[in-house]
Amino acid sequence: MITLLETTFERSVDALVAHYQETLSSGDTLNAWVFDDQPARQRAEQALESVGIKARFYSAYKPLVHYVIETLNERPLQALHIRYPAPEEAPKRFLLEAYPLAGLMNKQVALTWEAAPCATQTGLYHYELTLTDNDGEQEQVRVAAPNRHHLDHVDTWQLSPCGWVEWRTASGEGDSAFYACDYAQLFETAIAAITHAEWPAKQPFFEELNISVTLPCQDKPLPFGLEHISLAEGLHEEFYFSLLEYYQHLAGLPLGDRSIQPGQIVPEIKTRPDTPPSLTITLRPLSTDEAPAGEEVALDTAGHPLSVAHIKAQLDTLDGEAIESQSRSGRQLLARYRQGGDRAVMISAAQHANEPSGIVGALRAGRDLARQADSHFVLSPLENPDGYRLQQRLVTEQPTHMHHAARYTAFGSDLQDQPANGEFELAIRERAKALSGANLHINLHGYPAHEWTRPLTGYVPRNFELWSIPKGFFLVLRFHEAWEAQAEALLESVTAHLSSVPGLVEYNQRQIEVFEAHAGRLEFAIRHHIPYLLMRNDQQLTPLQLITEYPDETIYGDDFVMAHQVQYETVMSAYRCYQTMSLPHASR
């Protein structure tokens, strides 16, 4: 193991209290916006108030949401009208940052929004609220949202939430200015250390790049869906995607290019109360250990992701021919080809290993299809074992975070962007196609079950804007040019079946309603109450590829059961439809 950096930071609330206890006097006022939790901010207020300084410490992250849950709280309202800043470079940014306000408000409150166009600059932006109480009385409130306009790690201009300090003395002197918070200092220090390091000319540059952080601020659950406010999770996302972007930039690739292979980037963010923020960056060998097997559970009612041992045991219950490959770390990839009289179908899961519900859905479908005499399929339930092991490691510390560091392979690339005819994860698909001749690939995926943000580089995740807020379960169907009619037929049949799955349509409607309140109209077509995207792709391995997208990062209990039930129903309905549809002449 090689250590690139090890350091600690003074917590901003402590630094501000110490400074202004010395520079302000009784009767003076202080307003500060920091990246910290409510208990720490309240303690800072009390410390300054004990010496006569009237202080308010606000959250720099999602300030409007914090105002609602901390100040507005249970106030009996008839209506709430919000004018939100709409800067020219990011007109919907502040509306998105107010998520999930539409889900937090009482249904009896008439919530309306209005954009207030403004210039993009560093400064105190404001939400302007008109609160109408049940008795008809109105109050005007301004909620500050400090932001800075800055160049990021790949020389792109961003408008990002930031720290801010306003102070005023009893005699009228004062100032209002940007403040460099501990949270941002930690991030920028880490990025500087990594981007100034020397890297090999050839990819991958390392085995594991580990960014270990301890933050004192705690997560805040919200009373809507599976939402929470988590600075720790936001920092994980910032580190992972910012570093991917840096290595893409370094290699001369477009931002978002999934073929980059820097190695496995692992931000591990711990939350420990009353400890100073700390940062350690190390280069480590790839992990080759396995998680404990744990207790086996019934597939149909599994309330959490399965262990690798359980996945392999379930796969071993299927007869047929084994298909094998390996990951970068040497972990074995396993698939099973069951030959029969039906048309062949490929079923896969965990291409992105932090999307675990598809694994259970795939195994359930494989088990039930194997009971049919003529079934013909390839089952590949765990396509990314290195990512899955990292996911298991990360959820031990943060069980409800998205953990996108586990999304790609240990090379750092998406497996579908690996070179063709190789020996690693993509090889399973290529060998499955060659062996079975399948023309339909059912590819089970998920996406974040709660909001996904990048607090320090523009807030909305770059190149993943579509995925920043949950919008229910939906399908993506890609087809070769000659297979458009078959794609339409498959879509019609599968969505008709899925609309009958108990609770799914209602689940989608609840999520889409709040999504549209903050992100605008959902630009998806909808069939039988199931949103979908239908698109031609002549480069994909099979003429038809049906992709599921269920919000399953990271869910448990009944939520997880519902997720893998929908994955299972998708596989079974698509398999049935494919057996009877008319195929293009050359494929019959």
Side-chain angles (χ1 to χ4, degrees), residues 199-218:
W199 300 108
K202 186 178 178 182
Q203 302 177 43
F205 307 127
F206 46 78
E207 294 193 0
E208 178 183 317
L209 172 60
N210 185 277
I211 306 98
S212 180
V213 173
T214 300
L215 291 177
C217 45
Q218 303 299 295

Side-chain angles (χ1 to χ4, degrees), residues 482 486 582-588:
Q486 287 68 33
S582 174
L583 300 185
H585 179 75
S587 302
R588 294 173 185 169

Side-chain angles (χ1 to χ4, degrees), residues 85-133:
E88 54 196 2
E89 290 190 6
K92 285 191 175 180
R93 222 298 302 286
F94 287 90
L95 179 59
L96 288 168
E97 194 170 342
Y99 176 85
L101 194 58
L104 296 176
M105 298 302 298
N106 189 303
K107 290 292 185 182
Q108 279 66 53
V109 178
L111 177 64
T112 53
W113 305 87
E114 177 187 352
C118 58
T120 303
Q121 58 188 357
T122 296
L124 277 184
Y125 294 78
H126 287 86
Y127 294 94
E128 299 173 356
L129 281 57
T130 302
L131 289 76
T132 305
D133 291 327

Side-chain angles (χ1 to χ4, degrees), residues 12-32 40-57 165-167:
S12 288
V13 288
D14 297 335
L16 288 168
V17 167
H19 177 73
Y20 286 103
Q21 278 179 335
E22 295 294 324
T23 59
L24 294 181
S25 304
S26 180
D28 297 344
T29 61
L30 173 71
N31 292 318
R41 290 184 278 113
Q42 288 176 333
R43 287 194 299 271
E45 291 172 353
Q46 292 161 5
L48 288 172
E49 286 168 4
S50 69
V51 294
I53 300 168
K54 186 178 179 180
R56 287 300 307 269
F57 279 72
V165 172
E166 279 187 337
W167 60 269

Side-chain angles (χ1 to χ4, degrees), residues 527-575:
R527 192 175 300 199
H528 300 296
H529 306 287
I530 306 297
Y532 69 89
L533 295 172
L534 182 66
M535 60 190 72
R536 177 178 163 185
N537 183 335
D538 292 326
Q539 282 69 51
Q540 66 185 12
L541 192 60
T542 56
L544 291 175
Q545 182 179 194
L546 178 64
I547 300 169
T548 60
E549 294 289 358
Y550 195 99
D552 68 347
E553 304 170 10
T554 306
I555 58 177
Y556 303 94
D558 291 343
D559 294 318
F560 190 72
V561 174
M562 176 69 172
H564 64 71
Q565 180 67 30
V566 172
Q567 304 277 23
Y568 164 82
E569 297 285 357
T570 303
V571 176
M572 298 302 286
S573 62
Y575 185 93

Side-chain angles (χ1 to χ4, degrees), residues 358-380:
I359 296 173
V360 186
L363 288 169
R364 289 178 58 190
R367 175 200 64 193
D368 290 356
L369 288 173
R371 294 168 178 164
Q372 301 176 15
D374 291 324
S375 63
H376 188 187
F377 63 92
V378 178
L379 180 62
S380 179

Side-chain angles (χ1 to χ4, degrees), residues 70-259:
E70 295 175 7
T71 304
L72 197 57
N73 205 2
E74 299 298 323
R75 180 169 173 168
L77 290 177
Q78 179 187 118
L80 174 60
H81 180 72
I82 301 173
R83 293 186 80 239
Y84 60 91
E88 54 196 2
E89 290 190 6
K92 285 191 175 180
R93 222 298 302 286
F94 287 90
L95 179 59
L96 288 168
E97 194 170 342
Y99 176 85
L101 194 58
L104 296 176
M105 298 302 298
N106 189 303
K107 290 292 185 182
Q108 279 66 53
V109 178
L111 177 64
T112 53
W113 305 87
E114 177 187 352
C118 58
T120 303
Q121 58 188 357
T122 296
L124 277 184
Y125 294 78
H126 287 86
Y127 294 94
E128 299 173 356
L129 281 57
T130 302
L131 289 76
T132 305
D133 291 327
N134 284 339
D135 60 6
E137 289 292 317
Q138 286 193 338
E139 180 184 3
Q140 307 296 321
V141 174
R142 283 161 60 87
V143 177
N147 273 252
R148 68 183 184 117
H149 194 219
H150 64 106
L151 282 172
D152 67 12
H153 52 281
V154 288
D155 295 326
T156 301
W157 283 102
Q158 300 283 3
L159 183 67
S160 305
C162 66
W164 200 272
V165 172
E166 279 187 337
W167 60 269
R168 186 160 297 278
T169 66
S171 62
E173 295 180 66
D175 195 13
S176 178
F178 164 77
Y179 176 74
C181 284
D182 50 358
Y183 188 74
Q185 287 180 37
L186 189 153
F187 173 71
E188 290 168 2
T189 299
I191 294 296
I194 293 168
T195 57
H196 288 96
E198 291 191 12
W199 300 108
K202 186 178 178 182
Q203 302 177 43
F205 307 127
F206 46 78
E207 294 193 0
E208 178 183 317
L209 172 60
N210 185 277
I211 306 98
S212 180
V213 173
T214 300
L215 291 177
C217 45
Q218 303 299 295
D219 291 1
K220 171 73 174 177
L222 297 177
F224 173 72
L226 299 172
E227 296 298 335
H228 61 229
I229 293 175
S230 176
L231 291 166
E233 183 173 40
L235 196 58
H236 175 105
E237 299 302 313
E238 277 292 12
F239 276 132
Y240 181 65
F241 286 100
S242 294
L243 290 172
L244 272 184
E245 289 166 348
Y246 164 68
Y247 290 114
Q248 289 158 356
H249 191 63
L250 189 67
L253 297 171
L255 295 183
D257 189 301
R258 299 186 184 188
S259 67

